[in-house]
Every structure is written in structure tokens, then in C-alpha cells.
Amino acid sequence: MTTPGRWPAPFPCPRTALMSRYAPAEIESRWQAVWAEHETFKAVHSANKPKYYVLEMFPYPSGRIHMGHVRNYTMGDVIARYKLSTGHAVLHPMGWDAFGMPAENAAMQSGGHPKDWTYQNIADMRAQMKPLGLSIDWSREFATCDPEYYGQQQALFLDMLEKGLVYRKNAVVNWDPVDMTVLANEQVIDGKGWRSGADVERRELTQWFFKISAQSEDLLEQLDSLDDWPAKVKLMQSNWIGKSRGLQFAFDRTDGGQIEVYTTRPDTLMGASFVGISPDHPLAKELEAADPKVAAFCIDARKGGTTEEAIETGEKLGYDTGLRVKHPFDPAWELPVYIANFILMDYGTGAIFGCPAHDQRDFEFATKYGLPIIPVFTPEGEAEQPLKAAFVPPKTEPVHYVRGFAGADVQTGEAAVNAAVDHCESRGIGQGVTKFRLRDWGLSRQRYWGCPIPVIHCDTCGVVPEKKENLPVELPYDVTFDVPGNPLDRHPTWRNCTCPKCGADARRETDTMDTFVDSSWYYARFTAPHAKTPTDMAEAAYWMNVDQYIGGIEHAILHLLYSRFFARAMHQTGHLSSTAVEPFDALFTQGMVTHEIYMTRDANGRPVYHLPEDVTDGKLADGMAVEIIPSAKMSKSKKNVVDPMNIVATYGADTARWFVLSDSPPERDVEWTASGADATAKHLARVHRICTEITDLPDGTAKGDDDLLRAMHKAIRDVTMGVESFGFNAAIAKLYAFTNTLAKSEAGGTAKKLAARTLAQLMSPMTPHLSEELWSLLGGSGLVATARWPQADEAMLVETTVTLPIQINGKRRSEIAVPTDMPASEVEKLVLADEAVIRALDGAAPKKLIVVPGRIVNIVV
RNA sequence: GCCGGUGUGGCGGAAUGGUAGACGCAGGGGAUUCAAAAUCCCCCGAUGGCAACGUCGUGUGGGUUCGAGUCCCUCCACCGGCACCA
């Protein structure tokens, strides 16, 4: 038998032989042109269709796309293409998160301009993304650094200012005393400035804030309504918002005056051994001004970065102010007052009482300064004994109170806190207060490449909003980055202006906005990217909410929380409806793409990294062996990067897309391996070959038809389920299996053609170009991209027999095939008659026989 | 330090509390070929056994259950976040 299309063949048909070769480069550009010509992926507001909005977190325009992008956007593309084929009006846009520090860093290093650098990067990245064949409506593209976008962001800011959602207050920043500039957290390395190397200080600055804390309760409560968000993300947000009930009360100072403290553990009041105040506490500042020794300590205490991590892990320092307070239960019991570097002014009242027995941080502090450690409770059933470390059980665990003052002797921390609050309130000592950990969102950045904050400082009128007709307040182009600091600050003509209210000389605000602001509402802007207001309410009403949002787990807290806040603020200012305050109906967090790192060492023993393409079988071209470091997130500095463009050029976009979806579950990291990519390309070539061979078969029936069609309907069911539940790797495994079934099938030409067409269609969300090609070769009508998704026929999925494994004491010993509907009593008889069972039982009588219908049988002896 | 997650063959991984290792890669054997490439078929956790078959096995140690990769507790390792990286 000759197989048409194989080479060599006795009577080769040149046309078929040529077409049987899988040529992704030719296929992919051809079909991309067809989609563009037909505007297949243009999002069209269609009142008669259900809409579907799928959004991947937009990229920062670094200049090169990486495999993580390919994976992220391919996942969204699978969903978008699937929804298109199920009759939805699909919105699948793309944009650029274009403001931020790297552009300024590049300008400092190579002398260019952040704007030029950014727009060039955008052009480069767009050119790299287009060959991937993503079903994106490119007509909606924008960058957050487009004045058209950030002008509307300024309008939004002014509306929020008017509604009281924005205000100014002091807050600490990382200050580089040598460069005289504010540093980002990532620019502080081991407490030192990244360029100057100077010890970083925490310094207070007047800054702009969004009142996100006013929404704490709502942001927390509404998490419950987000059914299609990962539980872990909701838990992280819930912990971040951090609702807690505690006691706020005042200690009386022995010298008069009071210190107001807040505690979440009032039940440990009898274990108090000191009072601590933040170095930024008003009392600390008062003492600092009067006493040089206190001032010297405060300078020390303010050293280091502002991150919670730096404060929590840094050395705990305290200074005994000499002041004493009286314990609220016993005026004769005096506690020392310390200034301590680990107490934040931003949380609670900036003052605490320390209970070393039940807080590890306080324990270390007390040990260091020789303060008493007084246990309040012990593990249930254990006697009191000297502690080697703080005893901090979960609040839900019952413990034995040896120095309790309210509630039962044995109770949970939770119960004890409530009892303690009630007790203190009844004695007139403070009151129960519910507080949140969530702080207001500081949006001021002392940097150039961001959205200017549209306000003006006037000596007579104070802070005056810019008039809306003057928006956008555009960034000036003529700036330099040869000196550290914000070029806007030293730009005379831009900075100097007149007050919109009184017309006097005034100064423009030179702080720009945190880039998180840009990404907190872009999803809404995509619904009408060129509207003359932040949103077009009719378009927003149709397209919002985002039905499926996809992005990295690293955004689980800040970006998503800020976006939820912004959607609420946009509702309050009339830019989104009340139904859009939770903007993302479903969220999926995908893993990273990783790769091994290849390293050698130079003469000085310093590591030298090598690109994967320079390494073959663990050796460099010159034969030198490389050290292989296990897979890590792809990063330029470690050179463990695979350029997607090389992959697309070598194998085609469909191979890149299929590979990043196969093997690893999407929420987990995927490791890029050269052999994996190679194998994927081979598989796609095989599918192409199998299908083109089928094209040439005559129509007709054969005995294998039923088996093949049953397998086809199972594949439809399984792949559909996989796509709908983000089980892309599972869907692909089923497609491999179905391809094998089709290749071995003895069905007739008619059934095979149907099966092959269905295979092409089921693959189309992942390998859209190859699928279009096969669909058209196999006689599919129109484009596979817009063809109706196949439906599994329930009747073809019914099984009549099932194989039951038989376990004895939980170990598998045998199996039997029984009709699916056989009653359990009948199954029992068959099981006990089974030869292997009789042998395994060896005359012993079964104690118990468990039959789980359709699943398993277990005999207990 | 605090919060969240992950851990299964040589490798990526599959498995509503019900046959651990689907599917793929790598590896081994064979077919086809003058030869090769390509393709096709078979084997492939460890260990004992000629075999039938047995024993062990899902990071560690315990627990719940007729039955645990899956649920609970302990510890270890790694990853993400910690409010100015995006």
C-alpha cells in the first residue's frame, strides 16, 4: 500500500508531497494576514451577543518579550479564542504599563530620554508579539505614558480629590543623604543606597495619599463574593487588610501626661514589662529636641530602609527615656518607657506595651535590656516555667491563664481578648477598637517618568487643583538626568505657573504618581480607549467586568487590592457603575517560566554565566564543562533566558504556544527545555502529516468508525473541560491521546475526516495557525477561529462495563470487569469467587466488604 | 521575622479520599532503509525472583480512615509578597 504524501513514494504527487511538509513560517504569516484582513478579533459591542472580556496583566515595555509573556498571553488567548467560538463578543486588548523607573535608569546610564526609550521598546515588543498570532484587538492598544491616557488619569485624580478620596500627610521615605534623593525599596541594598553606598535614613516627607483605608471593611467583606478567585489570593488580601479587635487605652505617666497605646492582646496586660514608642512618635520628637542623647539614639533608630522586612529582621534597638508609666490595674506598678526602632508610627497609635512572654520581638527586646519576662498563660495542663522563647500559640487554641483577669482560667486567646476588652471597658480603662492593618496608599513619587499630579501650590490659596480644561498636564520633554533627583523639581518654566484660582505666581506639584495608579484602572479604559472622559459609561456597562483576569501571583496583594479600590473610587466619582466595583470576576494566577543556569568561573573565581544556546551537553563550544544550577526564573543577569523570537524563528509560534501550555499545570512554574521544544515541533508535524494523509482518503465507512467517534466525543468533552478549567496541560495530554487513537484508527475515510477536523478544531485555541491550515485542507467551512465549538454527544460517552480494582486490606490484588449498573450484592459475589481473591484470602473470612459502585472493592480481613 | 504557596520515577508532570506514575521528554531494544534522516512498534520507579509473584515507594516524622500523593499536626527545603521593582 502506498501512502500518499510520504517520501519517497512510487508515484509521488508533487503537490501533495509539498503540502505534507509542515512549514510553520509560511502557514503562520498567511493565516495572520487572513485574520487581519477579516478583522476577526476586533471587539464589537453587539447587543444580541453575550460578551466576554479576557485580560492578561499588561506588560512593562522592557524592550524584549520573554517566555513568561508568551505563556501569560497564550493562556489568555486560549480562553479568548474558545469564547469566540462559543458565540461571545470577545474583548481581548493589549496595552503597555509604560511609566516607571527603568526608563529613567536607562536615561542615566546611556543618556537617552525616557520617552524615546519607552516608545522604542513598545515598538520592539509589539513587533515581537504579533508573530505569536494572539487574538488581540490591536485597535484598542494604548500606553499609560500616552498623554491621552494619563490626562484622563489626572481627571480621575481631580474627581477623587473633590470627593475627599485624596489627601496629604507626612510619611517616611528612604533617603540617600549623599545623593540627596529618595530611593525606591529595591534601590536600598543592605541598608545602603545602591549608587552612593551611604547609609539610608528614614525621613519624613509630605506626600499625597489615597484613602484606601476608609474602604477596609468593604474590601475585606467583598472578598467573599469573589467565587472565582484563588482562595490563597483572598487569604493573602484578607491578612493584608488585617482586621483585628483590640483595646486602646492610655497609660498615665508618673510625671503627668499620658501615652495612648493600642494592643491586639489586652489579655496579656498582666505580663506587661515596658512601654515602647516609635521614634516618630510626638513624645519621642519632644524628647529628641530637648536631649542630645535621645537625638543621637533617634538618628540611629532611623537608619535603614522603610520596608517591614528591614524593620522586622533588623537589630532591635531601644532607649530608656527614664519616663515611667503606671500599670492601669496597679498604680504602684511602674513600667519604663522605651523608644524602639521596630515600632511603626503608621500602625495603631505608634505606641505599644511589650509582653515579652508572648511576643518573640518583645522577648528579644526584654532579654537584651534586662526587662522582666512574666508569663500570662501556659500550655493547657503544663505548669509555669521559665521561658527560653516567647510562647505564642494560635489565638484559636485554648491555654491556661495563670495571670488572667477576665474570662475562664482555660480559654482561647480569642475569647480572652474579648473578655479582657469587656473587663477593661467596664472599669473605664480604654475601649475596644477594631483596627485594620491596611494603611492609606501613598501615591507620591519624587520622579520624572510618571503621571504628573495635577495640582498647583499657591502661597495664598494653598493647594489648588488644576482646571480640567488644562489637562493633560504634560511632562516636559526638555529634561536631563545628569544629577540625581527629580528633573521636574529643577525645571523652571514647567514648575513655575500661575494659580488657577487667584492668578498669582505659583508652583506646580512636581511629584508624579506611583505606577500602580496607572495599572489600577487600565482595564476600564480598554472598554473605550479614546473616550474624552476616563470611561464611556455605555461601553463600560457592556464590557465590564473583566470575565477572566490572568497574571502573576506576585500581584496577589498590591495591584489587585489597588484595582479593587480604584473601581470603587471610579464608581463614587461616576465613572463606573455599581456593578463594576469588583472589576475582576475571575482571576487566574500563572507560574513563571524557568530555565537551568549555566555557569563557569573566571580566573578570580567569580561566576560567569552562559546562554543556553551556547551550551551543548553540558559543555561550551571550546569543550569546557559548565556548572548547572537548578532552574530559576529567567533573568538577563543569569543569562538563563530563551528568546521567544528565536523559538518562533526556528519552530514557529504554534510550537512555542503549545509547549508553554503543555507539561506543567498553568499555575505552576514551567521549565523550558530545548528537547521539549523539539518534541513539540515533531508532534505538530506529525499531526500535520496524519491530517494531510487523511485528506486524500476516499469517503466511506469501516468497522473502526464507532471506536473512533467515541474517542472523538470523549476528546471533545475532556478538552472542553480542560480549557474551561485552566487545565491546559491536561487538555493537551488528551489531545496527544486522541492523536494516537486517530493515527491507529481503522475507521473509514468519512469518520476519519470528521475526527481530523475535530482534532484541528480542538487544537485551535493552542495552535491557531496549524489548525486553520488543517481545517481548510479538511474541508471545514470558513475560519476555524469563528467556527462553532464542537459539542460532545452524551450518547457516545456512555460506558457499559467498568473495571473494578479489588483491594485486600487496602492493597490491590486483582480486578474484575462488571456491567456499570450491576448491584453491589452481585459484585460482592463475583469478587469472592475471584481466583486471585481466593488465593490471597487463603481461607480467611473477610471481616468487611466495601463496594464503592463504579470505583473499587476493598476486602478487610 | 511575618503572610501565602510548592515538594510524586532520570526529567516535566497525571491521579472527585478509591489500581500511584496518565500524557510527554530522555534512555534501551526492534522494524523500515544500500545507508542515513524521518517514521513505526515494544520496554522503561526501586528491589528480590527463571517465572508466577512478592517487598518497598509521592520531602521528614507522626495521626485520622476499610483505604491517604490527596485530610490533620510537626519539622525540612525551595518559591512569591511584605506597602517606592513592575
Side-chain angles (χ1 to χ4, degrees):
Chain A
M1 192 184 87
T2 63
T3 310
R6 256 198 202 163
W7 183 267
F11 306 103
C13 161
R15 186 191 67 91
T16 316
L18 184 72
M19 294 195 64
S20 71
R21 219 163 286 137
Y22 174 48
E26 188 269 324
I27 289 177
E28 291 179 0
S29 56
R30 183 152 43 79
W31 288 108
Q32 282 171 20
V34 171
W35 297 328
E37 189 194 326
H38 289 81
E39 294 190 323
T40 310
F41 307 120
K42 193 174 171 67
V44 181
H45 181 149
S46 321
N48 58 336
K49 275 190 194 174
K51 67 90 190 180
Y52 198 89
Y53 183 2
V54 56
L55 181 68
E56 305 96 13
M57 291 179 186
F58 65 165
Y60 178 79
S62 61
R64 301 294 299 173
I65 68 165
H66 54 71
M67 276 300 165
H69 291 128
V70 175
R71 193 172 188 219
N72 188 213
Y73 300 124
T74 303
M75 285 180 195
D77 202 45
V78 170
I79 302 291
R81 285 175 176 274
Y82 170 69
K83 289 294 173 182
L84 190 64
S85 69
T86 52
H88 291 78
V90 173
L91 172 57
H92 184 209
M94 181 58 64
W96 310 94
D97 189 12
F99 276 133
M101 292 203 309
E104 289 191 36
N105 293 341
M108 277 181 243
Q109 273 159 24
S110 49
H113 194 284
K115 181 178 173 181
D116 303 335
W117 184 86
T118 303
Y119 279 103
Q120 185 58 54
N121 282 354
I122 289 172
D124 291 347
M125 281 180 78
R126 189 194 301 114
Q128 292 163 40
M129 274 167 89
K130 290 227 167 160
L132 294 173
L134 301 168
S135 65
I136 286 166
D137 177 358
W138 286 97
S139 72
R140 290 175 186 254
E141 176 192 357
F142 61 75
T144 55
C145 64
D146 295 342
E148 190 188 11
Y149 181 81
Y150 73 69
Q152 294 304 327
Q153 185 164 306
Q154 291 169 339
L156 213 42
F157 178 93
L158 293 178
D159 289 345
M160 287 168 76
L161 187 62
E162 203 184 315
K163 286 274 179 195
L165 294 166
V166 196
Y167 70 102
R168 297 176 88 204
K169 71 166 179 181
N170 285 354
V172 289
V173 294
N174 301 306
W175 181 256
D176 187 321
V178 171
D179 277 353
M180 302 285 281
T181 183
V182 177
L183 299 178
N185 285 333
E186 71 162 5
Q187 296 173 320
V188 178
I189 297 151
D190 296 329
K192 305 199 188 296
W194 66 335
R195 285 178 199 281
S196 69
D199 281 341
V200 168
E201 302 164 10
R202 291 192 286 272
R203 172 177 282 210
E204 280 196 320
L205 225 58
T206 305
Q207 313 222 61
W208 288 94
F209 283 82
F210 287 126
K211 234 181 230 174
I212 187 172
S213 68
Q215 316 250 1
S216 301
E217 186 79 61
D218 189 49
L219 288 166
L220 182 65
E221 272 180 13
Q222 293 306 312
L223 285 173
D224 283 342
S225 70
L226 302 174
D227 296 330
D228 292 319
W229 279 41
K232 64 179 171 185
V233 173
K234 290 193 277 187
L235 186 57
M236 279 191 262
Q237 290 217 353
S238 164
N239 288 339
W240 185 264
I241 295 168
K243 184 178 183 175
S244 65
R245 177 165 155 84
L247 181 73
Q248 185 158 332
F249 68 100
F251 281 104
D252 290 323
R253 278 158 59 182
T254 54
D255 63 339
Q258 294 188 317
I259 298 175
E260 190 83 15
V261 302
Y262 172 74
T263 177
T264 56
R265 290 309 296 260
D267 57 317
T268 64
L269 205 38
M270 293 305 286
S273 67
F274 66 95
V275 165
I277 63 173
S278 162
D280 299 312
H281 193 278
L283 177 59
K285 287 185 177 169
E286 195 182 301
L287 295 168
E288 184 182 2
D291 183 345
K293 277 188 288 185
V294 178
F297 172 80
C298 284
I299 286 172
D300 236 22
R302 290 196 190 102
K303 269 189 189 148
T306 58
T307 67
E308 193 174 311
E309 186 187 5
I311 289 161
E312 285 288 326
T313 57
E315 194 191 359
K316 311 290 181 290
L317 299 174
Y319 182 87
D320 185 351
T321 59
L323 298 176
R324 295 292 178 265
V325 296
K326 298 176 206 163
H327 194 282
F329 294 168
D330 177 7
W333 182 359
E334 292 187 1
L335 301 173
V337 178
Y338 278 77
I339 301 173
N341 65 348
F342 56 83
I343 300 170
L344 296 168
M345 195 57 220
D346 287 328
Y347 187 55
T349 61
I352 57 145
F353 75 80
C355 175
H358 304 296
D359 182 292
Q360 190 54 33
R361 197 176 53 184
D362 293 349
F363 185 92
E364 284 161 26
F365 192 81
T367 308
K368 184 166 181 176
Y369 294 104
L371 298 165
I373 295 166
I374 313 157
V376 173
F377 47 79
T378 60
E380 218 184 326
E382 272 182 42
E384 186 179 337
Q385 52 187 319
L387 293 167
K388 290 196 189 72
F391 173 51
V392 193
K395 268 189 182 175
T396 49
E397 193 175 290
V399 288
H400 181 217
Y401 278 79
V402 291
R403 282 185 189 79
F405 57 87
D409 276 359
V410 173
Q411 60 183 334
T412 65
E414 227 160 29
V417 167
N418 286 325
V421 169
D422 293 345
H423 176 91
C424 289
E425 276 183 344
S426 73
R427 285 176 61 175
I429 302 167
Q431 51 190 329
V433 183
T434 297
K435 280 208 178 356
F436 294 90
R437 204 184 78 100
L438 180 63
R439 309 198 294 257
D440 277 334
W441 171 10
L443 69 123
S444 293
R445 297 293 180 269
Q446 294 70 40
R447 274 185 264 283
Y448 167 78
W449 193 234
C451 171
I453 294 174
V455 298
I456 286 150
H457 299 275
C458 169
D459 285 338
T460 40
C461 308
V463 175
V464 184
E466 179 60 271
K467 289 184 178 157
K468 274 205 179 163
E469 59 264 35
N470 293 338
L471 300 183
V473 175
E474 268 195 68
L475 287 168
Y477 185 78
D478 55 333
V479 287
T480 57
F481 294 88
D482 41 2
V483 232
N486 183 356
L488 295 177
D489 248 345
R490 41 174 204 269
H491 193 293
T493 54
W494 189 82
R495 191 176 177 223
N496 295 333
C497 59
T498 53
C499 172
K501 215 185 224 173
C502 71
D505 286 349
R507 282 153 286 112
R508 203 169 275 294
E509 170 68 67
T510 58
D511 280 358
T512 52
M513 296 188 203
D514 177 7
T515 55
F516 272 125
V517 181
D518 312 336
S519 55
S520 289
W521 71 287
Y522 76 112
Y523 51 86
R525 185 69 183 168
F526 274 135
T527 64
H530 304 298
K532 301 296 176 204
T533 46
T535 59
D536 174 321
M537 287 297 269
E539 289 300 309
Y542 179 72
W543 291 111
M544 286 296 284
N545 298 343
V546 176
D547 293 276
Q548 182 65 59
Y549 196 34
I550 305 169
I553 185 70
E554 66 271 24
H555 295 293
I557 297 175
L558 292 180
H559 163 62
L560 290 166
L561 193 61
Y562 290 159
S563 294
R564 296 177 63 216
F565 163 70
F566 242 75
R568 283 164 172 74
M570 288 175 80
H571 168 57
Q572 287 174 34
T573 51
H575 299 296
L576 277 180
S577 78
S578 63
T579 54
V581 295
E582 286 298 346
F584 311 124
D585 281 352
L587 172 70
F588 188 86
T589 54
Q590 103 279 9
M592 301 177 298
V593 180
T594 63
H595 197 280
E596 290 176 332
I597 296 169
Y598 304 118
M599 189 184 82
T600 55
R601 291 185 186 275
D602 68 10
N604 299 316
R606 280 189 296 256
V608 179
Y609 298 102
H610 303 278
L611 289 167
E613 56 253 45
D614 297 335
V615 178
T616 320
D617 296 332
K619 290 197 177 82
L620 294 174
D622 61 6
M624 190 181 194
V626 296
E627 194 178 324
I628 297 174
I629 299 166
S631 270
K633 180 173 177 166
M634 289 190 181
S635 88
K636 262 189 205 162
S637 62
K638 298 280 162 58
K639 288 200 177 176
N640 62 332
V641 287
V642 175
D643 190 330
M645 300 327 290
N646 290 344
I647 301 301
V648 171
T650 311
Y651 299 107
D654 284 338
T655 289
R657 296 169 57 114
W658 181 273
F659 181 80
V660 291
L661 294 176
S662 63
D663 287 1
S664 273
E667 67 276 12
R668 242 195 278 176
D669 296 349
V670 65
E671 184 180 2
W672 184 273
T673 60
S675 60
D678 214 52
T680 297
K682 272 186 197 169
H683 174 71
L684 297 187
R686 180 170 181 242
V687 171
H688 186 266
R689 191 174 56 247
I690 291 167
C691 289
T692 46
E693 283 169 13
I694 288 173
T695 313
D696 294 335
L697 293 179
D699 286 346
T701 58
K703 67 176 168 63
D705 287 3
D706 189 59
D707 283 348
L708 180 61
L709 294 178
R710 279 180 183 277
M712 182 185 88
H713 283 283
K714 251 185 223 166
I716 293 171
R717 178 194 60 189
D718 293 346
V719 172
T720 304
M721 209 156 64
V723 168
E724 283 186 347
S725 64
F726 271 84
F728 303 129
N729 57 322
I732 283 178
K734 301 290 183 189
L735 285 166
Y736 269 109
F738 181 47
T739 303
N740 286 335
T741 306
L742 176 60
K744 289 175 190 169
S745 170
E746 285 167 14
T750 308
K752 277 192 171 182
K753 280 177 195 170
L754 174 61
R757 217 161 39 230
T758 304
L759 174 64
Q761 199 175 5
L762 292 176
M763 287 172 70
S764 67
M766 296 88 158
T767 57
H769 313 87
L770 172 61
S771 289
E772 288 290 5
E773 182 74 8
L774 298 177
W775 179 259
S776 93
L777 281 175
L778 290 158
S781 74
L783 291 171
V784 75
T786 49
R788 190 79 193 175
W789 190 256
Q791 300 282 311
D793 179 352
E794 289 298 324
M796 296 293 274
L797 301 171
V798 177
E799 304 278 359
T800 52
T801 63
V802 62
T803 303
L804 293 181
I806 301 172
Q807 294 182 335
I808 294 173
N809 286 340
K811 282 182 191 286
R812 183 189 169 278
R813 296 297 170 187
S814 182
E815 64 182 30
I816 49 167
V818 297
T820 319
D821 56 357
M822 181 180 260
S825 54
E826 293 292 313
V827 174
E828 281 181 22
K829 281 181 208 159
L830 284 178
V831 165
L832 292 173
D834 184 79
E835 204 177 302
V837 170
I838 291 166
R839 188 163 8 105
L841 286 177
D842 195 25
K847 268 191 209 148
K848 205 170 170 187
L849 187 59
I850 296 152
V851 178
V852 184
R855 306 286 332 182
I856 202 165
V857 179
N858 193 11
I859 304 169
V860 186
V861 291

